[in-house]
Amino acid sequence: MTVKRTPVSGIGMQEGVCRRDPSDIIRVNERYYIWYSKGPIKSGYNATVWYATSSDGIDWTEQGQAIGKGEAGAWDYGSVFTPGILIAEDRYWLFYTGTSHPFQQGMPDSKIGLAVADSPDGPWQKLGNNPILRNSDNKDDFDSLLIDDSCAMIRNGKIFLYYKGRQFGKSPHETKMGLAVARSPQGPYQKHESNPVIQGNHAILNWPQGKGVAAMIGVTGPEDLRNSVQHSEDGVHFAKTHNVIDGPRAAGSYRPDAFTGSLKAERISWGIEIGKHQGNQLPYLERFELQWPDNEH
């Protein structure tokens, strides 16, 4: 499986502006919506969550900030970034990562919070019980240092929230993928007993496919996982189905079956990713399209 890339307008390359970590994409009233981290530096650790809309997935209009940083002393005072979208109970739920202190003032302590709105255009109200998912207190757990990068879907009437975690003493290249499950969007979210469900992955790109769940793995993890598509019938136990050549980078996809509970969910075909940037160039967003083998459906 290979990837084709296309520049986009409105959220693409811009001098002095970093856009990265796009959410998955939804379509409401003939418009596509996407959320992403926006800030002045390459890292997501000094950002807020913004959003944009498009009629075709190529020409985007940036609409403004969706979620800002918390007040001084709050768990999300340092940065809010890596958003993920969920539609449930006729409302819109926006997951986001937060850190408590400014960039480069101590180790990152990211946790996952949640905001809700009646419209994809907001206004967004942060939940009072935030953060809804925290890093583990057990230093031996895979997510004891930090958690990040939400990807939500509905399976069997429950919310499946995939995320990445890193253990104390481990490098970013040793990041793994976890799963938390809830019966309602606001939680409580229970981490799955089989965590980590995938022994690698620095950026979470998951979607419902058939009766199960698929995940695309980038360059992080054991050799047999890297640059692959994995599939799981139960959303927990994954096995490799495809090799990927130069796969999407920290991407979000258009997943029309993500919140329907369909048992015949179609695989994804396109999305938005971080464009390839070098040196001091700030990250930007671009479109990707997946070219699956012709003999598969």
Side-chain angles (χ1 to χ4, degrees):
M1 193 261 289
T2 57
V3 181
K4 175 185 176 183
R5 293 177 163 92
T6 305
V8 297
S9 66
I11 56 174
M13 194 180 303
Q14 182 180 348
E15 184 72 24
V17 176
C18 169
R19 294 184 182 89
R20 54 176 298 146
D21 313 320
S23 71
D24 290 300
I25 300 155
I26 62 171
R27 193 178 188 197
V28 182
N29 297 328
E30 306 302 317
R31 288 206 301 178
Y32 295 109
Y33 284 77
I34 192 167
W35 291 261
Y36 45 89
S37 313
K38 183 180 179 182
I41 63 175
K42 292 179 72 171
S43 164
Y45 289 112
N46 184 9
T48 55
V49 174
W50 287 58
Y51 82 109
T53 60
S54 173
S55 61
D56 60 6
I58 298 175
D59 296 315
W60 294 85
T61 301
E62 190 165 72
Q63 299 292 349
Q65 181 176 283
I67 299 178
K69 299 177 184 179
E71 297 180 354
W75 72 276
D76 56 355
Y77 168 67
S79 185
V80 290
F81 54 107
T82 54
I85 188 67
L86 167 70
I87 304 174
E89 299 180 354
D90 297 321
R91 305 183 83 186
Y92 300 87
W93 306 82
L94 195 57
F95 296 89
Y96 66 97
T97 303
T99 59
S100 68
H101 51 260
F103 182 60
Q104 291 183 334
Q105 291 186 10
M107 273 196 285
D109 61 346
S110 58
K111 302 169 178 59
I112 293 174
L114 184 59
V116 63
D118 293 325
S119 163
D121 293 293
W124 296 92
Q125 180 67 43
K126 295 180 180 179
L127 268 59
N129 63 334
N130 278 339
I132 53 94
L133 199 63
R134 300 172 179 266
N135 48 311
S136 173
D137 292 329
N138 184 347
K139 289 191 175 183
D140 293 330
D141 288 342
F142 87 102
D143 56 357
S144 57
L145 176 61
L146 58 81
I147 61 173
D148 187 4
D149 208 6
S150 319
C151 181
M153 64 186 72
I154 295 177
R155 280 184 49 82
N156 302 322
K158 298 179 182 179
I159 313 300
F160 274 45
L161 180 65
Y162 293 95
Y163 67 96
K164 73 182 185 187
R166 193 191 312 164
Q167 184 180 350
F168 267 100
K170 301 295 184 180
S171 74
H173 295 286
E174 296 172 287
T175 305
K176 299 179 181 181
M177 190 175 80
L179 169 65
V181 181
R183 294 187 178 275
S184 63
Q186 61 266 38
Y189 284 84
Q190 299 294 325
K191 295 179 182 179
H192 201 279
E193 60 184 9
S194 296
N195 276 349
V197 293
I198 292 183
Q199 296 291 326
N201 216 8
H202 190 68
I204 308 301
L205 178 57
N206 288 28
W207 64 93
Q209 184 171 308
K211 297 179 181 179
V213 176
M216 189 171 294
I217 313 300
V219 297
T220 299
E223 185 176 354
D224 60 336
L225 284 178
R226 294 197 297 265
N227 298 307
S228 72
V229 174
Q230 307 275 326
H231 189 267
S232 169
E233 285 296 311
D234 61 4
V236 177
H237 302 93
F238 287 83
K240 183 176 180 178
T241 60
H242 295 81
N243 292 314
V244 180
I245 300 173
D246 192 19
R249 296 176 287 268
S253 65
Y254 177 53
R255 312 175 302 165
D257 295 316
F259 314 124
T260 64
S262 171
L263 299 179
K264 297 181 180 180
E266 297 290 334
R267 65 192 182 194
I268 60 172
S269 61
W270 70 276
I272 298 292
E273 66 169 357
I274 297 178
K276 196 169 187 177
H277 53 283
Q278 297 178 340
N280 294 324
Q281 183 182 9
L282 293 177
Y284 59 93
L285 301 178
E286 67 181 4
R287 177 178 168 124
F288 71 87
E289 296 175 9
L290 300 180
Q291 299 175 325
W292 297 88
D294 291 338
N295 60 346
E296 297 185 19
H297 302 281

